[in-house]
Amino acid sequence: MLVGEQPGDLEDLAGNPFVGPAGATLNKALAEAGAPREDFYVTNAVKHFKHEMRGKRRLHKTPNAGEVQACRWWLDSERRLVRPKVIVALGATVAGAVLGKTVSVLKSRGHAWPLAHGATGFVTVHPSYLLRIPDADAKTAAYDDFVRDLKMAYATAKTG
C-alpha cells in the first residue's frame, strides 16, 4: 500500500491518486525499483484537496492534524479491507498518520516499522518533494534514495 498526503489539483479533478507530475515521478521510480504500480493499492491519508486560490490556480496547502485525524477512519478502513503486508508512507504528514507519531522522514527512511495486524511500515519522501529540489546533483541523489526505499519495501512485501 502506498499512502500519499492528499490529492493534488490534477488528482482531485481526475478522482484518482498520483496521476499528476508527482505520479509520473512515482511511476518512474516504481519501474526502476522493479515494483509494478499495479501490485500496490494507492491512496491518500487525507481525502480532500486542501488548497488556496492564486489567481485561477489552486495551490496545495498542507492538511492540519485535525484534517488528518478526520480522515483517519477512512485510511483505517482501507487498511482493513486491503490487508497490506507493507505500507509505504510518502512524506511526513502520512508518516504521522500511519505510524501514529511524528517522525523525521530523512532519519526514519530505510527502517522497517512494525504495524498493527502484522504489516510493516516504511517511510520515504513524497515524490513531489523530488520535483522541488533545485540542485541537479541533489535531486539525482534524492531520487536514487527514493528508488532504493521503494525497492526495499517491495522486497519486504514479496518475502514477508
Side-chain angles (χ1 to χ4, degrees):
M1 177 183 264
L2 295 170
V3 184
E5 179 185 85
Q6 69 175 352
D9 184 49
L10 294 175
E11 290 82 4
D12 183 51
L13 296 172
N16 290 308
F18 289 98
V19 297
T25 299
L26 176 62
N27 290 342
K28 180 178 179 234
L30 286 169
E32 288 183 30
R37 180 167 170 157
E38 55 271 9
D39 284 1
F40 291 89
Y41 178 82
V42 183
T43 191
N44 285 302
V46 174
K47 304 305 182 189
H48 65 280
F49 176 44
K50 183 176 180 178
H51 64 279
E52 63 183 34
M53 296 302 294
R54 294 257 177 95
K56 293 183 180 182
R57 295 188 64 208
R58 301 186 313 164
L59 298 180
H60 168 273
K61 283 187 74 173
T62 302
N64 62 41
E67 291 162 325
V68 172
Q69 187 58 40
C71 292
R72 178 64 190 236
W73 70 271
W74 196 321
L75 182 60
D76 289 344
S77 295
E78 289 173 307
R79 288 171 67 175
R80 278 192 304 278
L81 290 169
V82 174
R83 298 178 189 215
K85 292 180 184 176
V86 169
I87 300 173
V88 181
L90 301 169
T93 300
V94 181
V98 169
L99 301 177
K101 61 182 177 180
T102 302
V103 297
S104 164
V105 170
L106 297 180
K107 291 180 182 175
S108 300
R109 69 183 331 174
H111 175 77
W113 297 82
L115 301 175
H117 309 293
T120 301
F122 288 92
V123 175
T124 189
V125 298
H126 193 283
S128 65
Y129 162 79
L130 301 169
L131 298 173
R132 296 188 306 266
I133 299 172
D135 179 75
D137 290 339
K139 183 178 280 203
T140 298
Y143 178 80
D144 291 344
D145 289 343
F146 182 59
V147 170
R148 186 192 71 238
D149 293 343
L150 294 173
K151 191 178 290 188
M152 182 186 316
Y154 190 64
T156 299
K158 288 304 206 184
T159 61

